[in-house]
């Protein structure tokens, strides 16, 4: 199962809250999070890790980031 959280244009803590809401819905799988600040990227990665999700990939795209987290 894969889903996308588009948090571009939103300032913290909103990207983290959106990610946590999605994590609470899916107990495992793959979630793609789109953010556009370094702060949001770091905070989302930290929050996902605290819930046991593994960061599979972080891809910069100009000023944006595509973060892929996974949990079996």
């Amino acid at each position: 199962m894969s889903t996308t959280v588009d948090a571009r244009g939103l300032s913290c803590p909103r990207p983290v809250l959106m990610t946590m809401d999605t994590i609470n819905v899916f107990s495992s799988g793959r979630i793609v999070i789109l953010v556009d600040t370094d702060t949001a990227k770091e905070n989302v990665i930290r929050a996902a890790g605290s819930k046991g999700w593994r960061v599979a990939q972080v891809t910069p795209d100009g000023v944006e980031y595509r973060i892929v987290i996974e949990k079996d």
Side-chain angles (χ1 to χ4, degrees):
M1 177 80 175
S2 179
T3 190
T4 300
V5 174
D6 188 349
R8 293 174 291 185
L10 302 173
S11 47
C12 278
R14 192 69 187 128
V16 172
L17 295 174
M18 291 172 68
T19 300
M20 298 307 277
D21 287 346
T22 304
I23 283 173
N24 288 333
V25 171
F26 300 99
S27 59
S28 64
R30 178 182 177 104
I31 302 172
V32 177
I33 305 105
L34 306 173
V35 297
D36 57 3
T37 67
D38 288 330
T39 302
K41 175 189 71 154
E42 295 302 324
N43 290 342
V44 164
I45 289 170
R46 191 176 313 113
S50 75
K51 293 294 185 177
W53 286 72
R54 178 181 67 85
V55 176
Q57 184 179 35
V58 178
T59 307
D61 183 16
V63 296
E64 298 178 353
Y65 296 96
R66 181 179 186 268
I67 305 163
V68 179
I69 60 173
E70 298 176 337
K71 186 173 182 183
D72 295 327

